[in-house]
């Protein structure tokens, strides 16, 4: 007759020695405990530390059934870090598969080891994905740098597109200029309009001279006395005929 209690007790002692820092007993009846599983760092991964400094782990909870190991233990994931929903589902399926394959033997160490390997695979996938993302960013940066120095290659199609756009912008500028000039012509006042709007214009020159201190002086010596001028009276002229003047 199989002593299930003895087998379970012996396995618990072994698990406690194997996982001293991550093994925790939660209850004795029924026997329930947790083991926290963390991914292992790959060999020579120092150069990836700055990119892949991330913990991938999960805490598994196990409960012995009365006839374990002839019955599979109860198991569940009680916590996880940096695992998406698909990863969690894959781990549950893996535990189910391993439990069925090892039925009749103590299997907790086997189950935990399988989960450990799965977490390592997930870390490798994260590394690969992040390396690809890094390379893609570098390619995009290089392409952007090339575009900055070399510009866009000129083809007939993009040249015609550019010229059509340029001509349209130039036409719009000309239209605006013509409109502004037309508007300016409508608003320009004639001299008469300016004079009618500002009656000070008729005295502005005199005020300017006075304010500047310029007095107009007339040299009378330049003119003769009106009495000294010999002016013939039109009436004394024998040829004078007012009628002829009117006829002119």
């Amino acid at each position: 007759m199989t002593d299930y209690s003895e087998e379970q007790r012996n396995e618990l002692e072994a698990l406690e020695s194997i996982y001293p820092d991550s093994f925790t007993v939660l209850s004795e009846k029924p026997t329930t405990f947790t083991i926290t599983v963390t991914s292992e760092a790959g060999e020579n991964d120092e150069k990836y530390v700055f990119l892949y400094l991330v913990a991938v782990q999960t805490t598994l909870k196990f409960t012995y059934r009365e006839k374990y190991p002839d019955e599979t233990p109860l198991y569940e994931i009680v916590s996880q870090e940096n695992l998406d929903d698909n990863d969690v589902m894959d781990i549950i399926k893996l535990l189910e598969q391993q439990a069925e394959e090892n039925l009749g033997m103590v299997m907790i160490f086997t189950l935990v080891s399988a989960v450990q390997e799965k977490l390592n695979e997930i870390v490798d996938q994260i590394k690969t994905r992040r390396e690809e993302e890094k390379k893609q960013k570098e390619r995009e940066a290089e392409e952007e740098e090339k575009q900055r120095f070399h510009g866009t290659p000129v083809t007939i199609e993009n040249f015609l597109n550019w010229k059509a756009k340029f001509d349209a912008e130039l036409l719009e500028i000309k239209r605006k200029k013509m409109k502004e000039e037309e508007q300016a012509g409508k608003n320009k006042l004639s001299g008469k309009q300016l004079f009618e709007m500002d009656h000070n214009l008729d005295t502005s020159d005199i005020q300017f001279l006075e304010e500047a201190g310029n007095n107009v002086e007339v040299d009378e010596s330049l003119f003769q006395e009106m009495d000294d001028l010999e002016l013939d009276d039109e009436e004394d002229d024998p040829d004078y005929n007012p009628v002829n003047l009117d006829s002119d």
Side-chain angles (χ1 to χ4, degrees):
M1 182 177 180
T2 303
D3 187 350
Y4 297 114
S5 297
E6 181 69 19
E7 288 194 54
Q8 294 172 12
R9 186 166 52 254
N10 291 337
E11 185 179 40
L12 283 176
E13 292 177 357
L15 293 173
E16 188 174 6
S17 64
I18 296 171
Y19 308 107
D21 299 325
S22 59
F23 176 82
T24 302
V25 176
L26 301 179
S27 66
E28 295 182 355
K29 291 184 180 181
T31 301
T32 304
F33 54 92
T34 61
I35 298 177
T36 299
V37 188
T38 305
S39 61
E40 297 177 351
E43 296 181 359
N44 301 322
D45 279 353
E46 292 82 2
K47 65 179 180 179
Y48 298 115
V49 170
F50 71 99
L51 284 175
Y52 313 117
L53 189 59
V54 58
V56 178
Q57 69 177 30
T58 181
T59 298
L60 306 175
K61 178 182 176 181
F62 297 98
T63 300
Y64 286 152
R65 291 179 177 177
E66 182 180 356
K67 295 182 179 181
Y68 172 82
D70 288 339
E71 292 179 317
T72 60
L74 300 175
Y75 47 80
E76 62 179 298
I77 296 176
V78 294
S79 66
Q80 57 86 13
E81 290 185 17
N82 300 310
L83 294 174
D84 57 33
D85 293 340
N86 291 332
D87 293 331
V88 173
M89 292 300 299
D90 289 343
I91 291 173
I92 293 297
K93 291 178 181 179
L94 177 64
L95 289 170
E96 181 180 354
Q97 176 186 351
Q98 291 295 318
E100 292 295 332
E101 291 179 359
N102 291 277
L103 191 62
M105 301 178 290
V106 290
M107 64 182 74
I108 301 301
F109 176 77
T110 301
L111 299 182
V112 172
S113 297
V115 172
Q116 177 83 66
E117 292 180 4
K118 181 62 178 179
L119 294 184
N120 292 340
E121 291 178 5
I122 294 173
V123 169
D124 290 339
Q125 293 171 1
I126 293 175
K127 287 181 180 180
T128 301
R129 184 172 65 250
R130 292 189 178 180
E131 284 178 351
E132 289 299 323
E133 291 174 353
K134 182 175 180 290
K135 291 178 181 179
Q136 180 63 26
K137 290 180 179 179
E138 290 175 350
R139 287 193 293 266
E140 291 175 355
E142 290 177 358
E143 186 64 25
E144 183 178 350
E145 193 71 13
K146 290 180 181 179
Q147 292 293 335
R148 182 182 303 174
F149 284 98
H150 297 289
T152 303
V154 178
T155 63
I156 295 177
E157 181 179 2
N158 60 29
F159 172 77
L160 293 176
N161 291 335
W162 170 84
K163 189 175 186 304
K165 183 178 179 181
F166 176 79
D167 291 342
E169 293 176 352
L170 186 60
L171 180 60
E172 183 64 22
I173 292 173
K174 290 181 177 179
R175 287 177 178 174
K176 289 182 178 180
K177 185 176 181 181
M178 292 176 63
K179 187 175 181 181
E180 291 174 357
E181 291 177 350
E182 181 181 355
Q183 188 65 29
K186 291 181 179 180
N187 296 334
K188 186 176 180 180
L189 300 177
S190 65
K192 181 179 180 181
Q193 290 173 322
L194 290 172
F195 182 79
E196 291 175 348
M197 291 177 60
D198 188 357
H199 295 290
N200 293 325
L201 292 176
D202 57 346
T203 59
S204 60
D205 290 344
I206 298 175
Q207 291 177 352
F208 173 77
L209 292 173
E210 291 178 351
E211 291 174 358
N214 295 327
N215 295 322
V216 178
E217 296 182 358
V218 177
D219 188 356
E220 296 181 359
S221 64
L222 298 176
F223 301 92
Q224 296 180 357
E225 292 291 339
M226 296 297 295
D227 295 340
D228 295 337
L229 295 177
E230 295 182 358
L231 299 176
D232 294 332
D233 191 350
E234 294 178 348
E235 295 180 355
D236 296 338
D237 186 355
D239 296 329
Y240 172 74
N241 188 350
V243 176
N244 292 335
L245 290 174
D246 293 338
S247 62
D248 291 340

